[in-house]
PDB file of all heavy atoms in Angstrom:
ATOM      1  N   GLY N  36     128.475 201.429 256.368  1.00 91.00           N
ATOM      2  CA  GLY N  36     129.248 202.575 256.815  1.00 91.00           C
ATOM      3  C   GLY N  36     128.670 203.452 257.670  1.00 91.00           C
ATOM      4  O   GLY N  36     129.261 204.578 258.162  1.00 91.00           O
ATOM      5  N   ASN N  37     127.303 203.271 257.955  1.00 89.00           N
ATOM      6  CA  ASN N  37     126.682 204.160 258.903  1.00 89.00           C
ATOM      7  C   ASN N  37     126.831 203.666 260.352  1.00 89.00           C
ATOM      8  O   ASN N  37     126.466 202.434 260.694  1.00 89.00           O
ATOM      9  CB  ASN N  37     125.252 204.155 258.548  1.00 89.00           C
ATOM     10  CG  ASN N  37     124.352 205.163 259.307  1.00 89.00           C
ATOM     11  OD1 ASN N  37     124.793 205.744 260.206  1.00 89.00           O
ATOM     12  ND2 ASN N  37     123.202 205.403 258.746  1.00 89.00           N
ATOM     13  N   SER N  38     127.401 204.416 261.218  1.00 91.00           N
ATOM     14  CA  SER N  38     127.657 203.884 262.605  1.00 91.00           C
ATOM     15  C   SER N  38     126.381 203.738 263.301  1.00 91.00           C
ATOM     16  O   SER N  38     126.385 202.982 264.315  1.00 91.00           O
ATOM     17  CB  SER N  38     128.573 204.935 263.329  1.00 91.00           C
ATOM     18  OG  SER N  38     128.044 206.170 263.356  1.00 91.00           O
ATOM     19  N   GLU N  39     125.236 204.396 262.988  1.00 90.00           N
ATOM     20  CA  GLU N  39     124.011 204.151 263.618  1.00 90.00           C
ATOM     21  C   GLU N  39     123.273 203.076 262.798  1.00 90.00           C
ATOM     22  O   GLU N  39     122.561 203.459 261.811  1.00 90.00           O
ATOM     23  CB  GLU N  39     123.196 205.498 263.651  1.00 90.00           C
ATOM     24  CG  GLU N  39     123.930 206.500 264.557  1.00 90.00           C
ATOM     25  CD  GLU N  39     123.233 207.768 264.617  1.00 90.00           C
ATOM     26  OE1 GLU N  39     121.996 207.894 264.417  1.00 90.00           O
ATOM     27  OE2 GLU N  39     123.813 208.800 264.936  1.00 90.00           O
ATOM     28  N   ILE N  40     123.267 201.882 263.130  1.00 91.00           N
ATOM     29  CA  ILE N  40     122.659 200.775 262.353  1.00 91.00           C
ATOM     30  C   ILE N  40     121.242 200.667 262.628  1.00 91.00           C
ATOM     31  O   ILE N  40     120.861 200.548 263.840  1.00 91.00           O
ATOM     32  CB  ILE N  40     123.410 199.487 262.662  1.00 91.00           C
ATOM     33  CG1 ILE N  40     124.853 199.619 262.415  1.00 91.00           C
ATOM     34  CG2 ILE N  40     122.842 198.372 261.839  1.00 91.00           C
ATOM     35  CD1 ILE N  40     125.734 198.395 262.940  1.00 91.00           C
ATOM     36  N   PRO N  41     120.419 200.842 261.691  1.00 88.00           N
ATOM     37  CA  PRO N  41     118.979 200.737 261.839  1.00 88.00           C
ATOM     38  C   PRO N  41     118.683 199.310 262.433  1.00 88.00           C
ATOM     39  O   PRO N  41     119.281 198.372 262.224  1.00 88.00           O
ATOM     40  CB  PRO N  41     118.368 200.950 260.445  1.00 88.00           C
ATOM     41  CG  PRO N  41     119.354 201.517 259.673  1.00 88.00           C
ATOM     42  CD  PRO N  41     120.699 201.123 260.318  1.00 88.00           C
ATOM     43  N   THR N  42     117.525 199.285 263.228  1.00 91.00           N
ATOM     44  CA  THR N  42     117.153 198.040 263.869  1.00 91.00           C
ATOM     45  C   THR N  42     116.888 196.838 262.870  1.00 91.00           C
ATOM     46  O   THR N  42     117.305 195.854 263.143  1.00 91.00           O
ATOM     47  CB  THR N  42     115.805 198.266 264.707  1.00 91.00           C
ATOM     48  OG1 THR N  42     116.086 199.310 265.568  1.00 91.00           O
ATOM     49  CG2 THR N  42     115.421 197.034 265.354  1.00 91.00           C
ATOM     50  N   TYR N  43     116.289 197.198 261.756  1.00 89.00           N
ATOM     51  CA  TYR N  43     116.050 196.055 260.677  1.00 89.00           C
ATOM     52  C   TYR N  43     117.307 195.541 260.135  1.00 89.00           C
ATOM     53  O   TYR N  43     117.345 194.343 259.902  1.00 89.00           O
ATOM     54  CB  TYR N  43     115.109 196.678 259.640  1.00 89.00           C
ATOM     55  CG  TYR N  43     115.714 197.535 258.626  1.00 89.00           C
ATOM     56  CD1 TYR N  43     116.288 197.039 257.437  1.00 89.00           C
ATOM     57  CD2 TYR N  43     115.640 198.966 258.780  1.00 89.00           C
ATOM     58  CE1 TYR N  43     116.849 197.837 256.498  1.00 89.00           C
ATOM     59  CE2 TYR N  43     116.361 199.729 257.871  1.00 89.00           C
ATOM     60  CZ  TYR N  43     116.872 199.249 256.799  1.00 89.00           C
ATOM     61  OH  TYR N  43     117.470 200.045 255.822  1.00 89.00           O
ATOM     62  N   LYS N  44     118.413 196.255 260.036  1.00 90.00           N
ATOM     63  CA  LYS N  44     119.604 195.837 259.566  1.00 90.00           C
ATOM     64  C   LYS N  44     120.368 195.018 260.720  1.00 90.00           C
ATOM     65  O   LYS N  44     121.025 193.941 260.447  1.00 90.00           O
ATOM     66  CB  LYS N  44     120.566 196.912 259.170  1.00 90.00           C
ATOM     67  CG  LYS N  44     120.163 197.429 257.691  1.00 90.00           C
ATOM     68  CD  LYS N  44     121.225 198.423 257.173  1.00 90.00           C
ATOM     69  CE  LYS N  44     120.936 198.663 255.760  1.00 90.00           C
ATOM     70  NZ  LYS N  44     121.966 199.443 255.175  1.00 90.00           N
ATOM     71  N   ARG N  45     120.305 195.568 261.923  1.00 92.00           N
ATOM     72  CA  ARG N  45     120.842 194.981 262.972  1.00 92.00           C
ATOM     73  C   ARG N  45     120.379 193.502 263.245  1.00 92.00           C
ATOM     74  O   ARG N  45     121.019 192.527 263.604  1.00 92.00           O
ATOM     75  CB  ARG N  45     120.765 195.735 264.366  1.00 92.00           C
ATOM     76  CG  ARG N  45     121.639 195.324 265.453  1.00 92.00           C
ATOM     77  CD  ARG N  45     121.635 196.147 266.703  1.00 92.00           C
ATOM     78  NE  ARG N  45     122.004 197.595 266.347  1.00 92.00           N
ATOM     79  CZ  ARG N  45     121.189 198.538 266.468  1.00 92.00           C
ATOM     80  NH1 ARG N  45     119.904 198.401 266.849  1.00 92.00           N
ATOM     81  NH2 ARG N  45     121.560 199.882 266.230  1.00 92.00           N
ATOM     82  N   LYS N  46     119.081 193.293 263.057  1.00 93.00           N
ATOM     83  CA  LYS N  46     118.282 192.037 263.225  1.00 93.00           C
ATOM     84  C   LYS N  46     118.856 190.926 262.309  1.00 93.00           C
ATOM     85  O   LYS N  46     118.744 189.760 262.578  1.00 93.00           O
ATOM     86  CB  LYS N  46     116.818 192.199 263.089  1.00 93.00           C
ATOM     87  CG  LYS N  46     116.120 192.861 264.244  1.00 93.00           C
ATOM     88  CD  LYS N  46     114.589 192.923 263.986  1.00 93.00           C
ATOM     89  CE  LYS N  46     113.955 193.569 265.168  1.00 93.00           C
ATOM     90  NZ  LYS N  46     112.493 193.683 265.002  1.00 93.00           N
ATOM     91  N   VAL N  47     119.246 191.363 261.090  1.00 91.00           N
ATOM     92  CA  VAL N  47     119.800 190.431 260.148  1.00 91.00           C
ATOM     93  C   VAL N  47     121.302 190.258 260.162  1.00 91.00           C
ATOM     94  O   VAL N  47     121.942 189.510 259.324  1.00 91.00           O
ATOM     95  CB  VAL N  47     119.296 190.567 258.683  1.00 91.00           C
ATOM     96  CG1 VAL N  47     117.755 190.379 258.507  1.00 91.00           C
ATOM     97  CG2 VAL N  47     119.702 191.997 258.202  1.00 91.00           C
TER      98      VAL N  47
END
Side-chain angles (χ1 to χ4, degrees):
N37 191 345
S38 60
E39 296 179 25
I40 304 171
T42 303
Y43 74 93
K44 282 189 172 185
R45 197 175 298 114
K46 284 182 181 178
V47 294

